Structures are given as structure tokens and as C-alpha cells.
Amino acid sequence: SHGTPSQRRRVEEQFLNFARSKPIYYRFKLIDQYGDELLRIERHASQPLIVPEAELAVDRGGYYLIAMLHFQPGQVFLAPVELRDSATGGYVPAISYAIPLFDSQGHWRASLIAAIRAESFFQILESPQASPPGRIFVVSQEGYYLYHPDKKRDWSRLLATRDVENLYQDYAQPIAARILSGTAGTIVEDKNTIISYAPLFYGLSASHNFYAVFRDVPKRVLFASVQRFKQVYAGLVLLVILVALFFGFLAARQFTHP
């Protein structure tokens, strides 16, 4: 049962208020264990609107059901997608994530699926709070770029050429393996750069398709001279570690906190 009409209205209003408080969302919806939509919120002309019950899709959530088949509470499914805009008929590049919802007996009953525009996601990564200076990347567990600062204007091409343009092509295998380890840390062994990395959803259980965010900072930017290097090296390494942890937390907070 999907509840009474009054219960449904209360749930819709709660989700609508959440969407109003978080303008980064382009769309989000609830689907049941069969893939049928229970609720959908879409943003039109910057305003979130409730999709009428008669217009909800039936059996359109199969992709997410298969992806989350063996998920546990707290795990998140994240993927780049192109969503069809119901108002314009065009396609919108977006980042979609899904969270399985369980009842008190631990049975999977529904899933929350949210999506933000890719451009909004990039704005989070490019926030001035994310310092020290350097280049920010987001990669999948396989090393495919979800975000690349030099290719963000052609995101579709970046996804299409992921077998050629990926982490393993740009970094040595030991460095790539550490970035994709599912943990947070800092790599200082490279002679040219310092790399800080962390899971995108820091503090949540890692799913089989986790993403990592990392920052590549040239040492020449950090150290103007050998003398300055000696004086501030230890402090800057600590700062980069803290930035990696904070940045993973900041990205997750943008998605999940009201």
C-alpha cells in the first residue's frame, strides 16, 4: 500500500520543501521495489514542482534496481546520466545518485533517486572554499573521469572517451591505485606534485561503484624557494590532508543535508 491521500500529500510537501531549500537538485523521485514511481519532483524555470500522480512512470527504475540489488543500508549508487527534460524535450547532463530505503525488518522497500545538473556539480567542485590552489578531479573506481578541470566544457565527450582519457593514462599505476583505494590520504612522493584524495561521499559506506575526489597541487606553487619549503613543508602537508577530508564532507553535505 502507498498510504492514504492525506499521507501522500504530507510526504509530497516534505519533499517539495526540501527541494526548495536545495536548489542544486534538478530532479528527485521515490520508486518502489518494482521500479514504479511513487513520487517525483522536477524543477521548471528554477521552481520545483510535484508531478501529478497520473503522470508518474511505471517500471522505469529497473536500471537502479539492478545496480543496487545487493546494497546495504548507508550505501550510495552514483552515476553520470542524461535526463530528458519534460518541458523542453532536450537532454540535461546530470549526476544521479540513489539510496536504497529499508523497513524496520531490513527489507528493501523503496529507493530515493536524486539528480543535479552537471554544471551545478562542477560549481561545488570549483567553490572558492576549496583551497589551496590546484586542479580538482573526480574519478570512478575504474579510473574514469567524472570531472576533469580541462575538459568540463565537453563533458559528454569526456564520458565517451573514458577508455582513452582516464586516471591510469595520466598517473603512474601506484599513484592511481592509492587514489582509488577508497580511503583518504596524501601522496607526497612525486617530485612535482602533492596529491590529496578522499571518497566523494566521505563517511558513508562505500558501494561497489564509489567515486574519489582528488586535488593535484604543483609543489612549485606551494614552495617559492627551498628555504620556504623547509619552513612550511610539514604544515602544508597537514593542510592538504585536512582539505581532502573537508572536501569529501562538503560534497556529500551539498547532496544529503537539508
Side-chain angles (χ1 to χ4, degrees):
S1 174
H2 294 166
T4 66
S6 62
Q7 289 173 330
R8 179 182 181 84
R9 284 194 296 272
R10 286 198 297 270
V11 172
E12 288 177 336
E13 286 300 321
Q14 290 176 344
F15 275 89
L16 186 61
N17 290 335
F18 179 78
R20 287 169 176 160
S21 70
K22 280 292 182 181
I24 65 169
Y25 282 102
Y26 172 70
R27 175 188 298 172
F28 66 88
K29 61 185 178 179
L30 283 173
I31 62 171
D32 63 18
Q33 65 267 44
Y34 306 108
D36 299 341
E37 289 185 347
L38 304 176
L39 176 149
R40 187 167 85 242
I41 304 290
E42 291 186 349
R43 192 170 295 276
H44 296 282
S46 77
Q47 294 298 321
L49 300 174
I50 299 171
V51 175
E53 188 173 2
E55 298 179 17
L56 296 178
V58 177
D59 194 25
R60 292 284 185 87
Y63 168 71
Y64 295 99
L65 296 182
I66 295 173
M68 297 187 294
L69 186 61
H70 301 293
F71 271 34
Q72 300 299 317
Q75 291 189 312
V76 178
F77 176 79
L78 178 69
V81 294
E82 287 189 327
L83 301 176
R84 189 173 184 85
D85 190 304
S86 57
T88 66
Y91 288 91
V92 179
I95 309 297
S96 179
Y97 75 93
I99 303 174
L101 305 176
F102 298 84
D103 63 19
S104 57
Q105 282 74 46
H107 299 130
W108 181 13
R109 294 301 186 189
S111 299
L112 172 63
I113 302 171
I116 66 170
R117 290 179 181 270
E119 59 185 5
S120 299
F121 179 75
F122 297 163
Q123 288 172 1
I124 295 171
L125 297 179
E126 296 164 355
S127 167
Q129 301 178 62
S131 60
R135 298 191 304 164
I136 298 173
F137 304 83
V138 178
V139 290
S140 71
Q141 185 178 5
E142 294 81 15
Y144 302 141
Y145 288 114
L146 179 62
Y147 175 79
H148 191 298
D150 300 332
K151 302 178 176 65
K152 61 185 178 182
R153 303 304 178 191
D154 195 3
W155 193 53
S156 297
R157 180 178 178 275
L158 176 63
L159 298 179
T161 60
R162 62 184 188 175
D163 290 331
V164 177
E165 301 183 62
N166 58 64
L167 186 67
Y168 289 100
Q169 294 292 327
D170 297 335
Y171 293 88
Q173 196 280 334
I175 292 178
R178 289 177 63 178
I179 293 173
L180 300 178
S181 64
T183 61
T186 303
I187 301 171
V188 298
E189 294 84 356
D190 187 85
K191 66 178 182 179
N192 296 318
T193 62
I194 293 177
I195 300 173
S196 59
Y197 57 92
L200 181 58
F201 287 91
Y202 192 80
L204 295 179
S205 301
S207 68
H208 68 283
N209 78 321
F210 79 89
Y211 283 76
V213 57
F214 71 96
R215 179 181 286 275
D216 183 326
V217 184
K219 287 182 178 178
R220 68 177 185 274
V221 174
L222 295 176
F223 310 112
S225 66
V226 173
Q227 183 61 33
R228 180 167 177 77
F229 176 88
K230 293 179 180 179
Q231 293 174 348
V232 302
Y233 181 83
L236 285 173
V237 169
L238 177 60
L239 175 61
V240 172
I241 294 173
L242 293 175
V243 166
L245 296 175
F246 171 75
F247 191 73
F249 172 77
L250 177 63
R253 183 180 179 84
Q254 289 287 337
F255 299 145
T256 58
H257 285 223

